Amino acid sequence: SNKLGWNRVSTPLCSIIGRLTRFLLIMEADLEKIYKGSCHCGQVTYQVLLDFTNGTQRCNCTYCTKTRNWSIRTTPDKFRLLQGADALSDYQGSTHKIFCRFCGTNLYYYWNVPEMGGEFLTIRVNTLDDVSNDEILQGPIHYLDGKNDNWWQEPQDTRTLW
């Protein structure tokens, strides 16, 4: 055994675990793809790294219901605004709802919720320019009960969340 109490048998096991971890990280990275998105008038464009196999989300809160929100969650470090920072406006409520001030297209929401992992974005899938329906539907659709602030439970009725 060495100074840390490990015997020589554990060294190959550590090597196998290390290789498996690297393999899984590579596999996870392979599921992510860079997509381009924009507003309707084209003044705002962005790129975002997304993995649709984790699913998309629809919410029943009053704002999401009125705007027919269908989005996918990501982190700020995977998002890059390409043009149009001066065209963005922010409607603030419980979250920052970012939209183009010229055409009104809702682009994404910015959140900072410690209970949900801190900072994240939810990208409106309808603003992605180069995504197929098959890609969007690779994962499940998660329904959120924002209307009742019960984010961890699916609402009882999801029929109109489309």
Side-chain angles (χ1 to χ4, degrees):
S1 92
N2 62 19
K3 293 178 184 176
L4 297 174
W6 292 84
N7 61 34
R8 295 186 189 275
V9 176
S10 66
T11 303
L13 181 59
C14 290
S15 175
I16 291 169
I17 291 171
R19 283 187 296 213
L20 181 58
T21 301
R22 283 190 298 279
F23 173 75
L24 291 174
L25 289 173
I26 290 168
M27 290 297 292
E28 182 178 320
D30 285 346
L31 297 175
E32 292 183 322
K33 179 179 169 184
I34 296 174
Y35 294 94
K36 291 183 179 178
S38 64
C39 65
H40 185 259
C41 69
Q43 292 205 32
V44 179
T45 60
Y46 66 87
Q47 282 185 328
V48 63
L49 187 62
L50 298 171
D51 175 5
F52 279 97
T53 61
N54 292 324
T56 56
Q57 57 194 31
R58 295 180 184 168
C59 176
N60 69 350
C61 77
T62 55
Y63 186 84
C64 289
T65 299
K66 288 185 181 291
T67 62
R68 293 287 185 211
N69 179 30
W70 187 6
S71 58
I72 183 169
R73 185 174 167 170
T74 191
T75 53
D77 61 306
K78 295 181 180 181
F79 178 87
R80 184 170 60 148
L81 186 65
L82 299 177
Q83 72 177 33
D86 58 330
L88 294 177
S89 194
D90 182 356
Y91 176 70
Q92 295 182 27
S94 59
T95 180
H96 294 272
K97 298 160 186 80
I98 310 301
F99 64 96
C100 173
R101 65 185 178 94
F102 295 103
C103 65
T105 302
N106 290 295
L107 296 158
Y108 61 92
Y109 302 159
Y110 167 79
W111 303 73
N112 189 353
V113 182
E115 299 84 6
M116 296 176 78
E119 294 181 338
F120 62 95
L121 302 176
T122 52
I123 306 294
R124 302 286 295 249
V125 298
N126 58 305
T127 66
L128 296 169
D129 298 326
D130 56 353
V131 65
S132 70
N133 289 340
D134 289 337
E135 287 174 297
I136 293 172
L137 296 171
Q138 284 180 51
I141 298 173
H142 303 283
Y143 295 96
L144 308 175
D145 189 4
K147 184 177 185 179
N148 298 302
D149 286 328
N150 190 8
W151 301 98
W152 287 268
Q153 294 293 319
E154 201 172 276
Q156 289 184 2
D157 190 355
T158 61
R159 292 174 298 161
T160 60
L161 297 180
W162 41 269

